[in-house]
Amino acid sequence: MSARILIVEDEPAIRDLLAINLRHAGFEPLHAPDAASARAQIDAALPDLVLLDWMLPDQSGIEI
C-alpha cells in the first residue's frame, strides 16, 4: 500500500505538478484547494503526510 499524501494548494498548476511527481514516485496524492476541503479529507481518512500551503484563500495554513 502506498502512502497517501494530501496536497493542500490553491494554485492548480502547483498542485498538479506536485501530484504528478508524487504519483511517479509511487505515492497516492490527494488534492484540496482550500482549508475547508483539506479538513473534510482529513476527517474522512487521515493521510500519511500533508503538504500544506500557508497562504490559502479561506484560512491560513498555519491555523490548520
Side-chain angles (χ1 to χ4, degrees):
M1 175 187 244
S2 62
R4 296 166 30 104
I5 300 177
L6 177 59
I7 304 166
V8 185
E9 171 61 59
D10 59 325
E11 291 292 329
I14 296 171
R15 190 173 59 236
D16 293 344
L17 181 63
L18 287 169
I20 288 168
N21 285 292
L22 288 170
R23 196 172 297 111
H24 285 311
F27 298 104
E28 180 184 346
L30 307 170
H31 306 253
D34 53 39
S37 299
R39 286 182 188 272
Q41 287 204 35
I42 290 169
D43 289 343
L46 191 62
D48 296 297
L49 178 72
V50 177
L51 296 178
L52 181 61
D53 181 3
W54 284 12
M55 297 177 65
L56 295 169
D58 59 342
Q59 182 181 16
S60 166
I62 296 169
E63 293 175 11
I64 293 175

